[in-house]
Amino acid sequence: MNATAEFERSLLADIPLARAMQLSLQSHADDELVLAAPLAPNVNDKGCAFGGSLCSLLTLAGWGLIVLHLRARASDCEVYVQDSQMRYLAPVWQDFAAHARLADGESWQGFDAALAARGRARLRVLCRVPLADGNDACTLEARFVAIGKR
Amino acid sequence: MNATAEFERSLLADIPLARAMQLSLQSHADDELVLAAPLAPNVNDKGCAFGGSLCSLLTLAGWGLIVLHLRARASDCEVYVQDSQMRYLAPVWQDFAAHARLADGESWQGFDAALAARGRARLRVLCRVPLADGNDACTLEARFVAIGKR
């Protein structure tokens, strides 16, 4: 099993809410992770995507981008979300996907160097759920910290 | 069925993720709504509360505080979350509850007056998950908009 398939398997095995959301890993490259979810298990009372599902998927995409980067380097860290700003811009009436990338001004080089030097490093990630028309349904900017295990 | 029991029933009926979280309504007064969830269906890979569950419960508590206020006035509105800032301060290792109150500087009087005058009104709500030691595990400040139905 490759690293992304193993990451998807562990998400679904370890996080009951990820199973309830029927989350799947759509694609991964060093600079972007895309997690997808069908609408049906993630609706709200209005029949569009529940804000909690959107926030969960966006946060997991950001977290996963960093976790997969660290696993590719065999870096044994725990990664925690510290804070986030979420904007809900348009309702989502279909299956959706959260795209996570590094925020402006962030780089893997800076993150890796800080982690090597101090055993912990922070990183801001920008996540969004794009719509078919090219606009974003919602965005999340989140700050994570990675802490090396002793 | 009273208004709070009906609100809990409709949350669980209409939002699959609220069912998956095993959410319950713990208490409600005009100035505070408390929603609770057990840890087991809401754990992450580390065995503490999943950030997406915390964010979902906090957002639902803030939303519900406004919805219940409007229902008590027979005000026929839809309520949407617009944006939020979440801070994760400490891990949660037990069942948890989200407490929602109006944010500093907000009042029901101002909200009701804006809604009556313009058919829509915004409101900021401060939500938190307290720990047994009196500190907060996480906080969410969220802005909602209520829009009257034509």
Side-chain angles (χ1 to χ4, degrees):
Chain A
M1 196 182 280
N2 67 23
T4 54
E6 166 55 24
F7 176 73
E8 181 187 65
R9 187 208 61 76
S10 65
L11 273 187
L12 295 171
D14 297 343
I15 306 182
L17 220 63
R19 281 199 300 283
M21 293 172 62
Q22 299 178 26
L23 175 159
S24 63
L25 193 155
Q26 191 170 96
S27 68
H28 176 242
D30 190 47
D31 64 345
E32 186 177 65
L33 173 63
V34 183
L35 298 181
L39 181 61
N42 292 295
V43 291
N44 64 15
D45 59 306
K46 302 169 191 74
C48 56
F50 169 50
S53 291
L54 293 167
C55 178
S56 296
L57 196 71
L58 288 160
T59 306
L60 279 173
W63 178 78
L65 181 71
I66 300 173
V67 167
L68 284 167
H69 173 84
L70 293 169
R71 287 193 189 162
R73 276 145 200 81
S75 178
D76 196 17
C77 291
E78 290 283 10
V79 179
Y80 304 90
V81 60
Q82 293 198 295
D83 49 59
S84 62
Q85 288 92 47
M86 175 102 188
R87 284 176 221 283
Y88 300 86
L89 303 167
V92 178
W93 297 102
Q94 61 281 312
D95 301 347
F96 53 95
H99 298 237
R101 286 175 168 269
L102 298 190
D104 285 349
E106 298 285 9
S107 75
W108 290 125
Q109 293 89 329
F111 174 74
D112 292 341
L115 196 55
R118 296 194 294 272
R120 67 164 60 204
R122 291 196 168 77
L123 196 62
R124 288 177 305 109
V125 175
L126 183 62
C127 309
R128 61 196 191 89
V129 171
L131 293 170
D133 66 8
N135 292 313
D136 289 333
C138 51
T139 63
L140 179 108
E141 183 165 337
R143 192 170 57 144
F144 294 87
V145 61
I147 303 177
K149 292 180 188 165
R150 297 299 157 97
Chain B
M1 197 181 279
N2 67 23
T4 54
E6 166 56 24
F7 177 73
E8 181 187 65
R9 189 208 60 76
S10 66
L11 272 187
L12 296 170
D14 297 344
I15 306 181
L17 221 63
R19 280 199 300 285
M21 293 172 63
Q22 298 178 26
L23 174 158
S24 63
L25 194 154
Q26 190 170 97
S27 69
H28 176 243
D30 191 48
D31 65 345
E32 187 179 64
L33 174 63
V34 183
L35 298 180
L39 181 62
N42 293 295
V43 290
N44 63 15
D45 58 307
K46 301 168 192 76
C48 55
F50 169 50
S53 290
L54 293 167
C55 178
S56 295
L57 196 71
L58 288 161
T59 306
L60 280 173
W63 178 78
L65 181 71
I66 301 173
V67 167
L68 284 167
H69 172 85
L70 292 169
R71 287 194 190 163
R73 277 145 200 80
S75 178
D76 196 18
C77 291
E78 290 283 11
V79 179
Y80 304 90
V81 59
Q82 293 197 295
D83 49 59
S84 62
Q85 288 91 47
M86 175 102 188
R87 284 177 221 282
Y88 300 86
L89 303 167
V92 178
W93 297 101
Q94 61 282 314
D95 301 346
F96 52 95
H99 297 237
R101 287 176 169 267
L102 298 191
D104 284 350
E106 298 284 10
S107 75
W108 290 125
Q109 292 90 330
F111 175 73
D112 292 340
L115 197 56
R118 297 194 294 272
R120 68 163 61 205
R122 291 195 169 77
L123 197 61
R124 288 177 306 109
V125 176
L126 183 62
C127 309
R128 61 196 191 88
V129 170
L131 293 170
D133 65 8
N135 292 313
D136 290 333
C138 51
T139 63
L140 178 108
E141 182 165 337
R143 192 169 56 143
F144 294 86
V145 61
I147 302 176
K149 295 179 187 166
R150 297 303 157 95

